[in-house]
Amino acid sequence: SQPGFQRIRVEEPALYGLLPIGEHLSLSGSAVYDVVSGASPRVYSSTSSASRVHEKRYSGDAKLTYYADRSSYGFSAARSQEHDYISNSVAGDAVFATADNNTATNIALSARRDTINPTNDLVNHEHRTTSPGLVGLTSHGYLSDPYKLFDNRPRKRNGETGSLRWNHHIGAYAATLRSSYRLFHDTYGIWSHSAEVQWVQPVGLHWVLTPGLRYYTQNAARFYVDPPANGAPF
């Protein structure tokens, strides 16, 4: 909320597709087009006053998955591009299930390389490298936001993630109750908690209805400072 200014508006049309290939393979992919417009916050933006913002982003990804009797293996690639930010990534994952299919072990690794060229020339051709895994996350490079006056983050960040999932099939309704909890901590001093519950209800032979509720909370980074309301330097 900012009196006298129309705040940020986001439009994001997206397309997703999944194509089975024979008995053991599937190919999936998505394409997203983002448009962000509005007035930039005066106390955060390094540009003058409340300048107009109009950003466009194109992104897409593709994934090939192989299904075995009690396991699956996937490989994916993705790209996201704006006029001042480009991100490329690759990932691999594997899922191993027990004989009764009630317990699964997941392994996932990925690598992402970002190139940062902000229009305010605060930095030029900076890079950010991120290596997420199922049990952790490591980032190094330029991690600050060049469009925020008071944003000056360390150039390396390590984090740990733990998650629990529990699914229960309810035969009387031919439905499944999905629940999950995720805990995250990093060297910025951030602790976050995320809890989610979903009701998966088949509708006829070809449709599935999945209403859900998600709760997320986190504390501020240990070096966070709330900027003054008038946008003046400290």
Side-chain angles (χ1 to χ4, degrees):
S1 171
Q2 194 168 349
F5 293 93
Q6 182 181 357
R7 296 307 307 130
I8 297 296
R9 173 175 176 160
V10 179
E11 298 178 4
E12 188 183 75
L15 180 66
Y16 171 80
L18 174 65
L19 176 66
I21 304 174
E23 297 181 356
H24 299 285
L25 288 173
S26 71
L27 180 65
S28 61
S30 65
V32 178
Y33 173 59
D34 293 335
V35 179
V36 180
S37 60
S40 61
R42 286 174 291 184
V43 297
Y44 288 100
S45 178
S46 58
T47 56
S48 62
S49 187
S51 59
R52 301 300 301 175
V53 173
H54 188 75
E55 292 281 352
K56 297 180 181 179
R57 180 178 73 97
Y58 305 88
S59 66
D61 66 86
K63 181 177 182 179
L64 182 66
T65 304
Y66 174 80
Y67 300 93
D69 291 338
R70 295 274 182 251
S71 60
S72 65
Y73 310 88
F75 176 79
S76 61
R79 179 180 174 88
S80 175
Q81 180 172 341
E82 305 170 54
H83 73 282
D84 57 353
Y85 198 103
I86 298 176
S87 178
N88 294 289
S89 64
V90 293
D93 66 85
V95 180
F96 304 94
T98 57
D100 57 9
N101 283 326
N102 282 334
T103 304
T105 301
N106 296 11
I107 300 174
L109 294 173
S110 64
R112 188 177 76 226
R113 174 78 165 177
D114 302 341
T115 303
I116 306 161
N117 285 294
T119 55
N120 60 12
D121 295 324
L122 182 66
V123 294
N124 183 35
H125 209 60
E126 275 281 8
H127 294 285
R128 176 184 304 166
T129 302
T130 306
S131 302
L134 195 63
V135 294
L137 175 72
T138 299
S139 297
H140 63 87
Y142 186 76
L143 305 182
S144 302
D145 187 334
Y147 295 109
K148 292 182 180 178
L149 281 173
F150 309 104
D151 198 58
N152 187 18
R153 309 176 197 180
R155 291 184 65 92
K156 188 174 182 179
R157 181 184 185 188
N158 294 325
E160 301 83 36
T161 303
S163 62
L164 294 172
R165 295 185 179 92
W166 181 75
N167 300 333
H168 180 67
H169 182 70
I170 303 174
Y173 298 96
T176 300
L177 180 66
R178 294 177 180 171
S179 60
S180 64
Y181 170 76
R182 177 181 179 272
L183 174 66
F184 174 80
H185 173 255
D186 66 10
T187 50
Y188 283 9
I190 293 176
W191 289 89
S192 71
H193 306 266
S194 177
E196 185 173 13
V197 61
Q198 293 181 333
W199 181 272
V200 184
Q201 180 65 60
V203 180
L205 297 177
H206 304 289
W207 295 90
V208 176
L209 183 65
T210 311
L213 182 65
R214 182 175 182 266
Y215 176 78
Y216 177 87
T217 181
Q218 76 167 59
N219 65 300
R222 54 179 169 75
F223 50 81
Y224 173 77
V225 177
D226 195 17
N230 60 4
F234 296 105

